[in-house]
Amino acid sequence: MKAKILLLTVFSALFILASCKKDEDDPVVKTTYTKDVKSIFVSKCAPCHVSGGSHPSKFDEYATAKNEIDVIIDRVNRDAGAAGFMPKNGTKLSAETIAILTKWKSDGLLEN
């Protein structure tokens, strides 16, 4: 009986350790411009901030979006109607969408 309890305890401990190890091996998914961010700019910042748009800052271009991310995050976080609010004459971006932009920055502004 003691052997069965000991065996069960050892098996349980090994199972728990194996589960912990698996979590450590799971890759951290990083937010990237190509996969996660560009589509936001194309859908939410058009027609002004995309190629062919009226504004000189084109956020459908990685380098421009990367260089202006602090301003972008600041402006989309403003209240609708406040000076500098973006998207101009549009609806405030959802908290989830803003979180993607913020995560892109904190993940290192990766392109791909």
Side-chain angles (χ1 to χ4, degrees):
M1 182 69 154
K2 287 184 181 182
K4 288 181 182 180
I5 293 173
L6 180 60
L7 184 60
L8 183 59
T9 303
V10 169
F11 177 75
S12 297
L14 289 174
F15 180 76
I16 291 169
L17 289 174
S19 296
C20 293
K21 178 68 175 154
K22 182 179 178 191
D23 290 343
E24 293 172 6
D25 290 341
D26 287 345
V28 174
V29 177
K30 300 259 183 169
T31 301
T32 70
Y33 176 79
T34 303
K35 178 176 58 78
D36 307 294
V37 175
K38 184 176 182 179
S39 63
I40 294 170
F41 293 139
V42 170
S43 66
K44 303 296 185 184
C45 303
C48 303
H49 291 283
V50 294
S51 298
S54 60
H55 198 278
S57 294
K58 308 300 183 203
F59 301 149
D60 60 341
E61 298 170 2
Y62 167 73
T64 303
K66 177 182 173 183
N67 291 335
E68 297 192 29
I69 192 60
D70 289 326
V71 172
I72 294 166
I73 290 171
D74 170 57
R75 296 187 78 177
V76 299
N77 272 304
R78 294 180 188 189
D79 292 328
F85 167 78
M86 289 290 158
K88 187 175 184 178
N89 301 321
T91 304
K92 185 167 181 71
L93 301 181
S94 69
E96 293 82 11
T97 301
I98 294 171
I100 292 169
L101 298 176
T102 303
K103 185 171 184 312
W104 180 50
K105 180 182 176 188
S106 66
D107 282 351
L109 301 169
L110 302 171
E111 184 172 11
N112 295 308

